[in-house]
Amino acid sequence: MALLRLHLLRPPPAALAAVSSPWRRALTTTAPTTTGSRRLCSSHPAALSSSSSPSIVGGLLDYLNESWTQFHATAEAKRQLLAAGFELLSENDDWDLQPGGRYFFTRNMSCLVAFAVGKKYRVGNGFNIIAAHTDSPCLKLKPRSASFKSGHQMINVQTYGGGLWHTWFDRDLTLAGRVILKADDGSFVHKLVKVSRPLIRVPTLAIHLDRTVNSDGFKPNLENHLAPLLATKYEDTTGNSDDKKGSSSTKIAHHPLLLQILSEEIGSGTDEIIGMELNVCDTQPSCLGGGNNEFIYSGRLDNLASCYCALRSLVDSSKMLELSNEKAIRMVALFDNEEVGSDSMQGAGAPTMFHAMRRIVDSLMHQSMGEGALERAITSSFLVSADMAHALHPNYPDKHEEYHRPELQKGLVIKHNANQRYATSAVTAFLFKEIARIHNLPVQEFVVRNDMGCGSTIGPILASGVGIRTVDCGIPQLSMHSVREMCGKEDIDTTYKHFKAFYETFSDIDRKLNVDF
């Protein structure tokens, strides 16, 4: 699988020389280091925790800078799991699982399920699961992306999810995703592609031509005004007879210049490209910011921050020694398409997790016979639905319910909604808070105002589809669904500790509570 890494764009020496010495020192000491073509932030002094415990913030920045699309996020998770000793499974093969084993599989290279089986597992024991999603609101190329406006080569895009689309204007944008190639032997392969340089841009209209924009608001037409500009040189492709007949050929559907750029990135000929699925991405790297470097500035924090905390907590809590006394199965499930309702083969609306749980139980039964093994396992299981939460905005405090105002740097947020937009119940909230109490971790709670609509998550989808006890929680953040979001650095480490404690202690806590008696 070709995974093209982001290259670090450093300021030219002349530009650095023009900067006063204090600011120059700030630039040089906070610039991420590189190893090969991987952008690494984990060696930043500012990314390390101020306490004695190690921080995962640097690792999160690395993950964000690798994961421009849901495909890259899944591929990077796959790389980290393999490096940690997890075994790659195929959904098309028979599974031969063993207690103490660590496994994972991917679907569509945008969905991933990983799990570690406790060495003391017995048939009917439960699953302790953290679920999140790999997708984020963005612009995606249309199947026929080539268009021309007033002598400019433009890119036709469609909106994906509920993005703050005005934030995508005047940004240095590029393209990333995957392409389908036809090999010389007639087979077909997919490759991931990431064009690291600024490639396209959606320019705003000058205020001289729209004098009322500041008083009346910026209200672009998403069909007419959101098309990115690729180049000025006009390339006439209409002379091709196939195009006049409405051919869907990739060469006709997309600008030859775009195809040439993609082929150079993946090292293929333009004639080998027979399909593509590309996202528009912001080229500005994820980084630390704020007066004390206490914030993370990045695209796609919703919901890659949750994905990384879940993945890292599973890996770190599932080493051989940690599994020696575990009776349950620890699992992470990362789904695609949450931002558009989860109704896809790779989304949480598909029975992916349920099927995985059934296959795991069936494989681990071996010669053991027992009635309702999967059903008993589900009733003993617990799901943490992890999706980012709305932090109190200092300029809009009236948008939050008075007594439920989550703040940055104050821990995970448990989400409640009486109308089941979130799957949290009194029981599941108690269990999740009990983990925090035992490990001295801060927890916050959120309820939306009665006069405002409430978003939702994969929590209710999985809770109802699988029949599993679920708590909805999230890391507080600002600028949600913007091209550039922000959250607190401390909340990342707190979330990791909470998730890791969930894996390590939930089974013992759960045994002390009996609701159905």
Side-chain angles (χ1 to χ4, degrees):
M1 188 74 63
L3 178 58
L4 302 182
R5 306 293 189 180
L6 171 64
H7 294 273
L8 175 62
L9 300 177
R10 296 186 180 275
L16 284 176
V19 183
S20 61
S21 57
W23 286 104
R24 180 173 181 175
R25 284 196 299 270
L27 283 171
T28 56
T29 57
T30 59
T33 60
T34 58
T35 301
S37 60
R38 286 176 54 77
R39 178 186 178 86
L40 298 178
C41 302
S42 50
S43 59
H44 284 195
L48 302 178
S49 176
S50 58
S51 65
S52 58
S53 60
S55 173
I56 68 162
V57 169
L60 171 63
L61 292 174
D62 294 343
Y63 182 70
L64 290 167
N65 283 319
E66 292 295 324
S67 305
W68 282 11
T69 71
Q70 68 276 32
F71 306 117
H72 291 84
T74 305
E76 177 61 14
K78 173 183 176 181
R79 186 193 69 80
Q80 294 190 20
L81 288 167
L82 288 172
F86 280 66
E87 179 182 341
L88 177 62
L89 302 173
S90 170
E91 289 189 279
N92 296 325
D93 297 337
D94 290 333
W95 292 356
D96 182 17
L97 310 179
Q98 302 294 330
R102 299 175 297 166
Y103 312 91
F104 75 100
F105 67 88
T106 66
R107 175 179 288 191
N108 190 49
M109 195 46 69
S110 63
C111 167
L112 179 146
V113 175
F115 56 97
V117 185
K119 287 190 176 181
K120 292 187 178 180
Y121 171 84
R122 296 293 181 270
V123 173
N125 290 359
F127 291 75
N128 298 331
I129 309 169
I130 302 175
H133 63 88
T134 60
D135 62 317
S136 302
C138 65
L139 304 175
K140 291 179 177 283
L141 263 63
K142 291 182 178 179
R144 301 179 67 84
S145 71
S147 69
F148 300 92
K149 292 183 178 180
S150 303
H152 296 77
Q153 293 186 60
M154 311 298 291
I155 302 293
N156 286 326
V157 296
Q158 52 186 328
T159 57
Y160 175 84
L164 289 172
W165 303 122
H166 67 275
T167 65
W168 289 74
F169 284 75
D170 294 339
R171 302 287 301 185
D172 295 341
L173 305 174
T174 189
L175 297 171
R178 68 175 171 193
V179 296
I180 309 299
L181 301 175
K182 184 175 182 178
D184 293 337
D185 61 2
S187 62
F188 306 101
V189 296
H190 94 140
K191 286 189 176 182
L192 301 190
V193 62
K194 182 191 295 183
V195 182
S196 59
R197 67 180 176 90
L199 183 65
I200 53 179
R201 188 179 176 95
V202 186
T204 51
L205 184 64
I207 193 171
H208 313 82
L209 306 178
D210 187 9
R211 291 288 185 180
T212 63
V213 65
N214 287 328
S215 57
D216 296 346
F218 182 46
K219 302 175 183 178
N221 180 286
L222 299 185
E223 179 65 25
N224 298 329
H225 303 148
L226 199 55
L229 191 157
L230 174 66
T232 55
K233 183 179 179 181
Y234 184 87
E235 296 184 12
D236 186 5
T237 60
T238 59
N240 188 299
S241 60
D242 289 339
D243 184 55
K244 295 179 181 179
K245 298 177 183 178
S247 170
S248 61
S249 167
T250 304
K251 285 190 175 183
I252 304 303
H254 305 284
H255 290 299
L257 175 60
L258 174 60
L259 293 176
Q260 182 61 38
I261 292 170
L262 294 176
S263 66
E264 291 173 357
E265 287 289 334
I266 60 179
S268 71
T270 57
D271 57 339
E272 297 177 51
I273 301 176
I274 59 175
M276 63 180 69
E277 186 174 352
L278 300 179
N279 295 359
V280 176
C281 306
D282 187 17
T283 58
Q284 185 174 358
S286 304
C287 65
L288 295 177
N292 298 309
N293 274 322
E294 70 262 48
F295 303 126
I296 296 174
Y297 299 153
S298 176
R300 307 172 305 284
L301 286 174
D302 179 16
N303 191 32
L304 293 185
S306 302
C307 290
Y308 183 75
C309 289
L311 183 72
R312 181 67 178 270
S313 63
L314 176 68
V315 169
D316 290 351
S317 68
S318 298
K319 298 172 183 177
M320 293 306 175
L321 182 62
E322 282 79 1
L323 291 176
S324 59
N325 292 315
E326 179 61 80
K327 298 178 181 178
I329 296 172
R330 301 172 181 177
M331 177 182 283
V332 159
L334 309 180
F335 295 101
D336 193 5
N337 299 134
E338 187 275 344
E339 298 292 355
V340 292
S342 298
D343 290 334
S344 69
M345 179 192 75
Q346 57 273 1
T352 309
M353 195 172 79
F354 179 78
H355 287 169
M357 295 170 73
R358 184 175 65 187
R359 294 191 64 179
I360 292 168
V361 170
D362 287 348
S363 178
L364 291 170
M365 285 181 68
H366 299 295
Q367 302 300 318
S368 170
M369 299 297 292
E371 182 272 332
L374 175 60
E375 290 76 10
R376 288 186 284 120
I378 289 175
T379 59
S380 300
S381 299
F382 193 92
L383 170 69
V384 176
S385 169
D387 205 347
M388 302 297 280
H390 298 288
L392 175 69
H393 196 304
N395 294 333
Y396 301 90
D398 57 317
K399 294 296 183 180
H400 274 74
E401 197 272 342
E402 183 177 2
Y403 299 102
H404 299 83
R405 294 182 168 185
E407 299 179 37
L408 299 177
Q409 314 288 28
K410 292 191 177 180
L412 266 174
V413 179
I414 297 178
K415 306 176 185 180
H416 301 262
N417 184 261
N419 297 303
Q420 294 299 297
R421 300 293 290 170
Y422 303 129
T424 306
S425 69
V427 171
T428 60
F430 161 74
L431 288 168
F432 201 59
K433 286 189 288 187
E434 183 66 5
I435 296 169
R437 185 193 66 79
I438 293 172
H439 292 84
N440 196 29
L441 297 170
V443 174
Q444 308 180 79
E445 295 183 286
F446 172 79
V447 176
V448 74
R449 290 171 56 103
N450 289 331
D451 55 0
M452 295 178 64
C454 183
S456 190
T457 68
I458 60 177
I461 296 172
L462 295 171
S464 60
V466 179
I468 186 174
R469 294 174 297 169
T470 301
V471 64
D472 268 297
C473 69
I475 302 167
Q477 73 163 102
L478 296 172
S479 304
M480 186 178 288
H481 287 197
S482 170
V483 72
R484 195 78 176 167
E485 301 172 322
M486 66 178 288
C487 71
K489 181 177 72 173
E490 291 181 18
D491 288 326
I492 298 301
D493 287 325
T494 300
T495 298
Y496 162 72
K497 293 174 184 177
H498 203 147
F499 286 175
K500 190 169 182 284
F502 164 70
Y503 283 131
E504 293 173 342
T505 62
F506 177 79
S507 296
D508 292 334
I509 296 172
D510 190 37
R511 280 194 289 269
K512 300 176 182 179
L513 176 67
N514 189 355
V515 175
D516 297 301
F517 59 88

